[in-house]
């Protein structure tokens, strides 16, 4: 009898598919990798061959150089490919541009590796697409009932309100270079902020990539070469590390903000010295996680990289079979460090 572990199993290098001889989001260089999205804890350089969406491949080339892998294979959403008799299909995950769930089918079994995902609307990427499956492998970054994120529009409206209240102060928003920064820019545009937005140099290349992919960010200017006490009444966006760096001292009495799901935890906001915490996450919150489990009703749920205990208990109460994979090497949302931010 074929077991689910015959198709996918956890190993020190990551999730491995023995019949197809490939890994999904491996944490060390391997011969063949399927990569769900471009964040550095899932997309690493040095693999022999990489299969991913065209956007994720472009992001990896931008971050690691054109030689990030020996060979690459672009798989658009919905395109079915095969490795060793295992069918692979990438479908939208709603996390960042190009992010995908890896749907793996073999001998009548369907397993979905969701990677990182969220269920709410994001103007910079396609929405999560639920896929019926026997096993759903889910992250658990915000896998506790306390994590219920407010609507994004409400959080961005607080920035616009603060700009009206403090017209002489610069508003400096910390946001990750891939995905969060571009999403915050688009949300500001939707909130009616049509003035130029200033950006740290670490964001410029990825901003251009997003615009090449059809994401209109509006007027963007570099936050470099500015005089002291600059940008009063303006918005600047930078990697989180930069808002507490000497780089930020040039701005006019800045209101420091940070866009992260962890900003719902007041202690984290205080630790970072954030004046305007913005609870904007690219990960599913507790409600999105449990609603997804209820919608899919898979035979088994495998939970990885996060707070799995709460979700395991929820599954037990609701009669769903679940287990913790305890994969290592995947960072929490506010711990990602990429080359552009160093």
């Amino acid at each position: 009898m074929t077991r689910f572990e015959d198709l996918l199993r956890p190993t020190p290098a990551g999730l491995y598919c023995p019949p197809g001889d490939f890994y999904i989001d491996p944490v060390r260089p391997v011969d063949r990798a399927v990569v769900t999205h471009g964040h550095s804890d899932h997309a690493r350089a040095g693999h022999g061959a990489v299969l991913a969406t065209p956007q994720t491949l472009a992001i990896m080339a931008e971050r690691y150089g054109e030689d990030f892998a020996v060979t690459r294979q672009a798989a658009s959403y919905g395109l079915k490919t095969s490795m060793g008799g295992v069918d692979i299909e990438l479908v939208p995950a709603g996390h960042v541009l190009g992010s995908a769930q890896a749907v793996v089918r073999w001998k009548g079994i369907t397993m979905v590796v969701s990677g990182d995902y969220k269920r709410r609307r994001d103007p910079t990427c396609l929405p999560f697409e639920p896929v019926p499956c026997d096993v759903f492998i889910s992250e658990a970054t915000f896998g506790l009932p306390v994590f219920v994120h407010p609507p994004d529009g409400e959080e961005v409206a607080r920035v616009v309100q603060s700009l009206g209240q403090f017209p002489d102060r610069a508003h400096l928003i910390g946001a990750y270079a891939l995905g969060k920064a571009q999403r915050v820019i688009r949300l500001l545009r939707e909130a009616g902020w049509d003035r130029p937005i200033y950006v740290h140099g670490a964001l410029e290349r990825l901003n251009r990539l997003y615009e090449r992919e059809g994401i209109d960010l509006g007027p963007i200017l570099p936050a470099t070469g500015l005089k002291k006490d600059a940008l009063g009444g303006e918005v600047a966006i930078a990697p989180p590390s930069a808002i507490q760096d000497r780089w930020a001292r040039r701005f006019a009495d800045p209101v420091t903000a940070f866009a992260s799901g962890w900003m719902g935890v007041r202690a984290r906001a205080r630790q970072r010295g954030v004046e305007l915490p913005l609870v904007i996450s690219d990960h599913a919150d507790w409600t999105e996680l449990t609603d997804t489990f209820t919608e899919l009703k898979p035979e088994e749920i495998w939970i990885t990289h996060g707070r799995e205990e709460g979700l395991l208990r929820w599954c037990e109460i609701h009669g769903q079979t679940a287990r913790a994979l305890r994969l290592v090497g995947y960072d929490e949302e506010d711990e990602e460090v990429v080359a552009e931010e160093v």
Side-chain angles (χ1 to χ4, degrees), residues 143 286 303 307-320 322:
W286 173 263
I303 302 169
R307 286 149 181 78
E308 67 271 6
E309 293 85 358
L311 289 172
L312 290 172
R313 178 60 178 157
W314 183 93
C315 289
E316 181 183 1
I317 291 170
H318 290 84
Q320 292 193 291

Side-chain angles (χ1 to χ4, degrees), residues 172-184:
L172 179 57
I173 303 175
Y176 307 119
L178 171 58
K180 188 68 64 63
Q182 296 79 22
R183 182 177 170 206
V184 168

Side-chain angles (χ1 to χ4, degrees), residues 106-133:
W106 179 69
K107 292 188 176 182
I109 297 173
T110 299
M111 301 179 72
V112 174
V113 183
S114 61
D116 290 335
Y117 68 100
K118 65 178 180 292
R119 300 300 303 267
R120 63 188 63 200
R121 172 185 173 273
D122 183 336
T124 67
C125 66
L126 294 177
F128 177 95
E129 182 178 309
V131 177
C133 55

Side-chain angles (χ1 to χ4, degrees), residues 125-203:
C125 66
L126 294 177
F128 177 95
E129 182 178 309
V131 177
C133 55
D134 300 295
V135 177
F136 182 69
I137 301 175
S138 176
E139 61 149 308
T141 303
F142 292 106
L144 290 173
V146 68
F147 293 118
V148 178
H149 304 320
D152 307 336
E154 292 182 5
E155 295 300 281
V156 170
R158 294 171 56 230
V159 177
V160 177
Q161 181 183 25
S162 180
L163 285 158
Q165 291 175 327
F166 305 106
D168 296 326
R169 300 180 68 185
H171 282 63
L172 179 57
I173 303 175
Y176 307 119
L178 171 58
K180 188 68 64 63
Q182 296 79 22
R183 182 177 170 206
V184 168
I185 291 170
R186 279 300 312 153
L187 290 171
L188 282 166
R189 299 307 186 197
E190 291 181 355
W193 189 259
D194 56 6
R195 298 173 66 170
I197 293 174
Y198 294 80
V199 298
H200 187 282
L203 310 183

Side-chain angles (χ1 to χ4, degrees), residues 294-336:
T294 300
E295 178 181 5
L296 294 176
K297 291 186 173 63
E299 190 171 332
E300 291 189 14
I301 297 169
W302 295 0
I303 302 169
T304 184
H305 62 282
R307 286 149 181 78
E308 67 271 6
E309 293 85 358
L311 289 172
L312 290 172
R313 178 60 178 157
W314 183 93
C315 289
E316 181 183 1
I317 291 170
H318 290 84
Q320 292 193 291
T321 301
R323 58 178 282 199
L325 288 190
R326 308 191 190 282
L327 292 173
V328 298
Y330 301 101
D331 296 328
E332 293 183 346
E333 180 180 85
D334 67 341
E335 301 301 327
E336 183 192 354

Side-chain angles (χ1 to χ4, degrees), residues 213-283:
E213 293 293 332
I215 309 299
D216 182 11
L217 301 179
I220 300 291
L221 293 175
T224 55
L226 301 173
K227 297 179 180 179
K228 189 172 176 59
D229 296 329
L231 301 187
E234 305 292 349
V235 175
I237 298 180
S241 58
I243 66 174
Q244 296 175 326
D245 190 60
R246 287 180 299 173
W247 178 87
R249 297 176 188 171
R250 73 191 75 181
F251 302 114
D253 189 19
V255 174
T256 57
F258 183 24
S260 169
W262 296 108
M263 288 298 96
V265 181
R266 292 182 180 180
R268 292 219 181 189
R270 287 196 299 269
Q271 287 170 359
R272 288 182 173 268
V274 174
E275 182 175 349
L276 183 60
L278 304 173
V279 187
I280 300 176
S281 175
D282 284 329
H283 294 260

